[in-house]
Amino acid sequence: MNVTADDLDAAISTVASTLRPATDRDWSSVAGTGDWDCWHTAEHIGDCPLSYAAQLIAQPTERYVRFLATADKDATPAEVLEFAVTGGGILSATVRAAAPSVRAYHPTGMADPAGFAGMGCVETLVHGEDIARGFGLHLDPPRDLCARVLARMFPHAAADLTGTDSWTAMLWATNRTPTHRLSTADRLALARQPARHLTPPGCGLHTGRSLPGLQPGAWISWAAGESNPEPAG
């Protein structure tokens, strides 16, 4: 199931509309993702898609394009959110322009435009939710978008969590929702098999940390749109 530039646009819009009401607050004093505050989490949301866009343009096979995108240190919350939205918009435009045959390096395998769009959606939505929770808010992304992203980026989770809301399932797959939020049928199904979907709190998509339970090189399959990975034995 392919993720598109339209999906990325919807993810960006969801984050922007949810977080704009909080831009009059101090983003440097509220926790975001891990050790980051909300300001630096938003900066990360801007940097990730810019990095993915650069990969699609340069198409390196063994490394990331050598740059780091940062917001000005004196950027206001509204301005760092603008940076996050801009980064996502640049990736969206790049995905639209890229030929489906394009492949570029990611630490866990070569990825196609839809794979980078899926990674961009996960980074945007999950880190956006991290920021929102710091202000007592919550994202409410389109569930069809979440279903496509879940199926592409976390295929085993999508197959196993058939009775759970797709946004809740994505948050569970990225280690942000406890098991009791899943449907009863899904909790029982998961109890009968090893955990294999959880990613670390930082997602791992940008940094290249591999997903526990996936065979080495499995990203090559599902990021590039080929066969789904098999669980590790």
Side-chain angles (χ1 to χ4, degrees):
M1 184 179 296
N2 272 347
V3 182
T4 68
D6 288 343
D7 291 323
L8 188 54
D9 288 341
I12 297 163
S13 177
T14 296
V15 170
S17 62
T18 301
L19 298 183
R20 280 195 185 105
T23 53
D24 61 346
R25 299 175 64 179
D26 182 4
W27 283 32
S28 65
S29 64
V30 178
T33 300
D35 294 333
W36 291 332
D37 56 29
C38 287
W39 192 98
H40 286 93
T41 303
E43 181 184 51
H44 178 73
I45 295 174
D47 171 50
C48 278
L50 286 171
S51 179
Y52 297 154
Q55 294 305 95
L56 288 172
I57 292 170
Q59 300 172 37
T61 59
E62 297 181 347
R63 58 174 172 78
Y64 273 116
V65 175
R66 304 292 189 181
F67 78 98
L68 177 67
T70 61
D72 288 346
K73 63 181 180 180
D74 59 350
T76 66
E79 289 167 341
V80 75
L81 178 59
E82 179 182 58
F83 171 67
V85 169
T86 299
I90 290 173
L91 175 58
S92 175
T94 305
V95 168
R96 282 194 176 89
S101 60
V102 166
R103 297 291 185 274
Y105 170 85
H106 184 272
T108 46
M110 300 293 285
D112 66 352
F116 281 113
M119 288 185 269
C121 285
V122 174
E123 293 283 356
T124 299
L125 290 172
V126 172
H127 290 304
E129 176 70 7
D130 291 340
I131 298 172
R133 289 178 178 182
F135 297 114
L137 304 170
H138 292 281
L139 302 188
D140 186 24
R143 295 311 192 261
D144 58 337
L145 155 65
C146 296
R148 284 189 291 275
V149 172
L150 192 69
R152 179 62 189 265
M153 308 311 296
F154 305 100
H156 290 305
D160 292 341
L161 304 183
T162 56
T164 296
D165 170 81
S166 57
W167 174 226
T168 301
M170 189 190 303
L171 292 174
W172 180 84
T174 52
N175 205 19
R176 284 163 172 81
T177 291
T179 303
H180 70 74
R181 293 284 305 277
L182 306 179
S183 72
T184 300
D186 287 346
R187 291 200 306 272
L188 291 173
L190 289 172
R192 294 192 291 268
Q193 55 188 275
R196 58 188 182 188
H197 315 117
L198 291 180
T199 66
C203 287
L205 302 184
H206 182 63
T207 61
R209 291 191 294 268
S210 61
L211 301 181
L214 294 185
Q215 293 178 350
W219 184 284
I220 296 174
S221 309
W222 49 276
E226 297 162 10
S227 59
N228 285 341
E230 294 298 325

